[in-house]
Short mmCIF file of all heavy atoms in Angstrom, two decimals:
data_model
loop_
_atom_site.label_atom_id
_atom_site.label_comp_id
_atom_site.label_asym_id
_atom_site.label_seq_id
_atom_site.Cartn_x
_atom_site.Cartn_y
_atom_site.Cartn_z
N GLY A 1 109.60 59.16 165.47
CA GLY A 1 108.66 58.37 166.17
C GLY A 1 107.30 58.35 165.37
O GLY A 1 107.25 59.10 164.39
N SER A 2 106.39 57.60 165.82
CA SER A 2 105.13 57.58 165.07
C SER A 2 104.06 57.79 166.12
O SER A 2 104.13 57.43 167.20
CB SER A 2 104.94 56.23 164.36
OG SER A 2 104.85 55.20 165.35
N SER A 3 102.95 58.34 165.63
CA SER A 3 101.81 58.59 166.39
C SER A 3 100.76 57.53 166.24
O SER A 3 100.47 57.17 165.12
CB SER A 3 101.25 59.97 166.07
OG SER A 3 99.99 60.17 166.68
N THR A 4 100.30 57.01 167.32
CA THR A 4 99.28 55.93 167.24
C THR A 4 97.93 56.55 167.07
O THR A 4 96.99 55.84 166.74
CB THR A 4 99.34 55.00 168.45
OG1 THR A 4 99.16 55.80 169.61
CG2 THR A 4 100.66 54.25 168.50
N THR A 5 97.73 57.83 167.44
CA THR A 5 96.40 58.43 167.30
C THR A 5 96.19 59.19 166.01
O THR A 5 95.13 59.68 165.88
CB THR A 5 96.22 59.50 168.51
OG1 THR A 5 97.26 60.43 168.40
CG2 THR A 5 96.35 58.77 169.91
N ASP A 6 97.13 59.19 165.17
CA ASP A 6 97.01 59.91 163.86
C ASP A 6 96.15 59.04 162.89
O ASP A 6 96.73 58.18 162.33
CB ASP A 6 98.38 60.28 163.35
CG ASP A 6 98.23 61.23 162.18
OD1 ASP A 6 97.22 61.67 161.79
OD2 ASP A 6 99.34 61.48 161.57
N THR A 7 94.95 59.43 162.74
CA THR A 7 94.09 58.66 161.84
C THR A 7 93.86 59.42 160.55
O THR A 7 93.30 58.88 159.69
CB THR A 7 92.74 58.33 162.52
OG1 THR A 7 92.12 59.62 162.86
CG2 THR A 7 92.90 57.45 163.75
N SER A 8 94.28 60.75 160.49
CA SER A 8 94.00 61.48 159.28
C SER A 8 95.40 61.92 158.78
O SER A 8 96.23 62.40 159.63
CB SER A 8 93.13 62.74 159.69
OG SER A 8 93.16 63.64 158.62
N SER A 9 95.53 62.03 157.42
CA SER A 9 96.84 62.40 156.91
C SER A 9 97.06 63.94 157.05
O SER A 9 98.22 64.37 156.91
CB SER A 9 96.90 61.97 155.41
OG SER A 9 95.83 62.71 154.69
N SER A 10 95.96 64.68 157.27
CA SER A 10 96.21 66.12 157.50
C SER A 10 96.35 66.56 159.01
O SER A 10 96.44 67.72 159.21
CB SER A 10 95.01 66.85 156.91
OG SER A 10 93.81 66.53 157.54
N LEU A 11 96.31 65.59 159.90
CA LEU A 11 96.38 65.83 161.33
C LEU A 11 97.93 66.13 161.67
O LEU A 11 98.76 65.20 161.39
CB LEU A 11 95.80 64.75 162.16
CG LEU A 11 95.81 64.88 163.66
CD1 LEU A 11 94.87 66.07 164.02
CD2 LEU A 11 95.24 63.63 164.35
N THR A 12 98.28 67.15 162.24
CA THR A 12 99.55 67.51 162.60
C THR A 12 99.74 67.28 164.08
O THR A 12 98.93 67.70 164.95
CB THR A 12 99.93 68.96 162.32
OG1 THR A 12 99.64 69.29 160.97
CG2 THR A 12 101.40 69.28 162.64
N VAL A 13 100.74 66.40 164.38
CA VAL A 13 100.99 65.93 165.78
C VAL A 13 102.31 66.33 166.37
O VAL A 13 103.34 66.36 165.66
CB VAL A 13 100.76 64.39 165.84
CG1 VAL A 13 101.10 63.78 167.30
CG2 VAL A 13 99.39 63.96 165.41
N VAL A 14 102.39 66.76 167.66
CA VAL A 14 103.57 66.92 168.39
C VAL A 14 103.75 65.81 169.29
O VAL A 14 102.97 65.58 170.24
CB VAL A 14 103.71 68.31 169.03
CG1 VAL A 14 104.95 68.44 169.80
CG2 VAL A 14 103.48 69.41 168.06
N GLN A 15 104.84 64.95 169.22
CA GLN A 15 105.03 63.88 170.17
C GLN A 15 106.11 64.36 171.07
O GLN A 15 107.22 64.65 170.72
CB GLN A 15 105.51 62.58 169.43
CG GLN A 15 105.69 61.49 170.37
CD GLN A 15 106.25 60.19 169.72
OE1 GLN A 15 107.21 60.29 169.00
NE2 GLN A 15 105.50 59.12 169.88
N VAL A 16 105.76 64.60 172.32
CA VAL A 16 106.65 65.05 173.38
C VAL A 16 107.20 63.97 174.17
O VAL A 16 106.43 63.16 174.79
CB VAL A 16 105.90 65.99 174.29
CG1 VAL A 16 106.85 66.66 175.37
CG2 VAL A 16 105.25 67.21 173.50
N ASP A 17 108.48 63.81 174.15
CA ASP A 17 109.21 62.72 174.98
C ASP A 17 109.78 63.49 176.11
O ASP A 17 110.94 64.04 176.06
CB ASP A 17 110.27 62.05 174.16
CG ASP A 17 110.97 60.91 175.00
OD1 ASP A 17 110.56 60.69 176.04
OD2 ASP A 17 112.00 60.47 174.39
N ASN A 18 109.03 63.67 177.22
CA ASN A 18 109.53 64.43 178.34
C ASN A 18 110.25 63.46 179.31
O ASN A 18 109.69 62.70 179.98
CB ASN A 18 108.26 65.01 179.09
CG ASN A 18 108.77 65.97 180.25
OD1 ASN A 18 109.89 66.16 180.56
ND2 ASN A 18 107.74 66.57 180.89
N GLN A 19 111.53 63.61 179.26
CA GLN A 19 112.45 62.68 180.12
C GLN A 19 112.73 63.42 181.48
O GLN A 19 113.38 62.82 182.27
CB GLN A 19 113.77 62.47 179.39
CG GLN A 19 113.52 61.71 178.02
CD GLN A 19 114.81 61.52 177.26
OE1 GLN A 19 115.83 62.13 177.57
NE2 GLN A 19 114.68 60.83 176.17
N GLY A 20 112.26 64.59 181.62
CA GLY A 20 112.49 65.29 182.86
C GLY A 20 111.40 64.94 183.96
O GLY A 20 110.40 64.30 183.64
N PHE A 21 111.63 65.41 185.18
CA PHE A 21 110.70 65.15 186.25
C PHE A 21 109.43 66.02 186.20
O PHE A 21 108.38 65.57 186.51
CB PHE A 21 111.48 65.35 187.60
CG PHE A 21 110.54 65.14 188.70
CD1 PHE A 21 110.14 63.82 189.10
CD2 PHE A 21 110.13 66.21 189.53
CE1 PHE A 21 109.29 63.65 190.16
CE2 PHE A 21 109.35 66.03 190.66
CZ PHE A 21 108.96 64.75 191.03
N LEU A 22 109.61 67.34 185.81
CA LEU A 22 108.64 68.26 185.92
C LEU A 22 107.51 68.10 184.68
O LEU A 22 107.99 67.78 183.55
CB LEU A 22 109.02 69.70 185.79
CG LEU A 22 109.84 70.17 186.99
CD1 LEU A 22 110.43 71.53 186.71
CD2 LEU A 22 109.08 70.08 188.21
N ASP A 23 106.25 68.18 184.96
CA ASP A 23 105.29 68.27 183.87
C ASP A 23 105.43 69.57 183.11
O ASP A 23 105.93 70.59 183.66
CB ASP A 23 103.88 68.19 184.43
CG ASP A 23 103.56 66.90 185.10
OD1 ASP A 23 104.34 65.86 185.00
OD2 ASP A 23 102.57 66.76 185.82
N MET A 24 105.19 69.53 181.86
CA MET A 24 105.33 70.78 180.96
C MET A 24 104.06 71.08 180.26
O MET A 24 103.34 70.19 179.65
CB MET A 24 106.39 70.44 179.92
CG MET A 24 107.81 70.09 180.40
SD MET A 24 108.61 71.62 180.80
CE MET A 24 110.20 70.93 181.17
N THR A 25 103.77 72.40 180.27
CA THR A 25 102.69 72.83 179.38
C THR A 25 103.24 73.29 178.14
O THR A 25 104.26 74.02 178.08
CB THR A 25 101.97 74.07 180.02
OG1 THR A 25 101.50 73.75 181.35
CG2 THR A 25 100.76 74.57 179.23
N VAL A 26 102.70 72.63 177.01
CA VAL A 26 103.32 72.85 175.73
C VAL A 26 102.38 73.74 174.85
O VAL A 26 101.21 73.55 174.80
CB VAL A 26 103.53 71.47 174.93
CG1 VAL A 26 104.11 71.63 173.63
CG2 VAL A 26 104.34 70.54 175.83
N TYR A 27 103.03 74.77 174.25
CA TYR A 27 102.34 75.71 173.38
C TYR A 27 102.99 75.66 172.01
O TYR A 27 104.16 75.33 171.82
CB TYR A 27 102.53 77.06 173.93
CG TYR A 27 101.99 77.37 175.26
CD1 TYR A 27 102.85 77.17 176.37
CD2 TYR A 27 100.70 77.80 175.46
CE1 TYR A 27 102.31 77.43 177.68
CE2 TYR A 27 100.18 78.03 176.72
CZ TYR A 27 101.10 77.81 177.88
OH TYR A 27 100.63 78.01 179.08
N ALA A 28 102.19 76.00 170.92
CA ALA A 28 102.66 76.23 169.61
C ALA A 28 102.54 77.70 169.37
O ALA A 28 101.47 78.31 169.70
CB ALA A 28 101.91 75.38 168.58
N GLU A 29 103.56 78.31 168.69
CA GLU A 29 103.51 79.75 168.35
C GLU A 29 103.71 79.91 166.87
O GLU A 29 104.55 79.34 166.23
CB GLU A 29 104.69 80.55 169.07
CG GLU A 29 104.50 80.71 170.48
CD GLU A 29 105.51 81.63 171.04
OE1 GLU A 29 106.53 81.89 170.42
OE2 GLU A 29 105.40 82.07 172.26
N ARG A 30 102.92 80.83 166.39
CA ARG A 30 103.02 81.26 164.94
C ARG A 30 102.91 82.75 164.95
O ARG A 30 101.79 83.33 165.29
CB ARG A 30 101.94 80.65 164.13
CG ARG A 30 101.96 81.00 162.65
CD ARG A 30 100.86 80.30 161.90
NE ARG A 30 100.44 81.22 160.86
CZ ARG A 30 99.36 80.97 160.13
NH1 ARG A 30 98.66 79.94 160.31
NH2 ARG A 30 98.92 81.87 159.22
N SER A 31 103.95 83.48 164.43
CA SER A 31 103.93 84.94 164.53
C SER A 31 103.71 85.27 166.05
O SER A 31 104.40 84.91 166.84
CB SER A 31 102.96 85.62 163.67
OG SER A 31 103.17 85.15 162.29
N SER A 32 102.69 86.06 166.24
CA SER A 32 102.39 86.53 167.70
C SER A 32 101.23 85.65 168.28
O SER A 32 100.88 85.95 169.41
CB SER A 32 102.00 87.99 167.63
OG SER A 32 100.80 88.16 166.93
N GLN A 33 100.84 84.58 167.55
CA GLN A 33 99.75 83.73 168.09
C GLN A 33 100.28 82.62 168.85
O GLN A 33 101.14 81.84 168.30
CB GLN A 33 98.87 83.32 166.87
CG GLN A 33 97.68 82.56 167.32
CD GLN A 33 96.85 82.14 166.03
OE1 GLN A 33 97.38 82.20 164.96
NE2 GLN A 33 95.54 81.88 166.26
N ARG A 34 99.87 82.45 170.02
CA ARG A 34 100.29 81.24 170.98
C ARG A 34 99.07 80.52 171.30
O ARG A 34 98.15 80.98 171.87
CB ARG A 34 101.00 81.78 172.17
CG ARG A 34 101.39 80.60 173.08
CD ARG A 34 101.93 81.20 174.35
NE ARG A 34 103.41 81.11 174.34
CZ ARG A 34 104.16 81.39 175.44
NH1 ARG A 34 103.62 81.64 176.61
NH2 ARG A 34 105.43 81.35 175.31
N ILE A 35 99.13 79.19 171.07
CA ILE A 35 97.99 78.29 171.39
C ILE A 35 98.46 77.10 172.26
O ILE A 35 99.51 76.52 171.96
CB ILE A 35 97.31 77.76 170.16
CG1 ILE A 35 96.58 78.94 169.40
CG2 ILE A 35 96.28 76.65 170.45
CD1 ILE A 35 95.80 78.50 168.22
N ARG A 36 97.73 76.84 173.38
CA ARG A 36 98.13 75.84 174.29
C ARG A 36 97.79 74.48 173.63
O ARG A 36 96.65 74.29 173.25
CB ARG A 36 97.36 76.01 175.57
CG ARG A 36 97.71 74.86 176.60
CD ARG A 36 96.97 75.18 177.89
NE ARG A 36 97.19 74.22 178.92
CZ ARG A 36 96.58 73.12 179.04
NH1 ARG A 36 95.56 72.79 178.15
NH2 ARG A 36 96.81 72.23 180.00
N LEU A 37 98.81 73.54 173.55
CA LEU A 37 98.43 72.24 173.00
C LEU A 37 98.08 71.21 174.06
O LEU A 37 97.26 70.36 173.79
CB LEU A 37 99.67 71.73 172.27
CG LEU A 37 100.21 72.63 171.07
CD1 LEU A 37 101.45 71.98 170.51
CD2 LEU A 37 99.07 72.79 170.09
N GLY A 38 98.63 71.39 175.24
CA GLY A 38 98.27 70.43 176.36
C GLY A 38 99.47 70.28 177.27
O GLY A 38 100.40 71.03 177.21
N ILE A 39 99.38 69.26 178.16
CA ILE A 39 100.33 69.04 179.17
C ILE A 39 101.05 67.70 178.83
O ILE A 39 100.48 66.70 178.53
CB ILE A 39 99.73 68.97 180.56
CG1 ILE A 39 99.22 70.35 180.96
CG2 ILE A 39 100.71 68.44 181.61
CD1 ILE A 39 98.46 70.35 182.29
N ALA A 40 102.45 67.78 178.95
CA ALA A 40 103.30 66.62 178.78
C ALA A 40 103.75 66.23 180.15
O ALA A 40 104.52 66.94 180.70
CB ALA A 40 104.44 66.89 177.82
#
C-alpha cells in the first residue's frame, strides 16, 4: 500500500487495514520500549 501522508523520505509509516469490528490501539515495540502509535 502507499501512504498519502508521507511527505518525507525518512518518515516511517504503519498503514493499518483493520477489517475487524473493534477499534485497535496500536503500539510499536523495540527491546523493552513500547510506544503508542495511535488508534486504528
Side-chain angles (χ1 to χ4, degrees):
S2 62
S3 170
T4 57
T5 60
D6 188 5
T7 57
S8 169
S9 62
S10 64
L11 185 63
T12 306
V13 175
V14 178
Q15 183 184 53
V16 183
D17 182 8
N18 187 357
Q19 299 173 353
F21 177 72
L22 295 176
D23 295 346
M24 299 279 185
T25 303
V26 180
Y27 301 90
E29 284 186 349
R30 178 178 148 192
S31 303
S32 62
Q33 186 178 19
R34 177 188 260 192
I35 293 185
R36 181 180 179 273
L37 301 180
I39 294 178

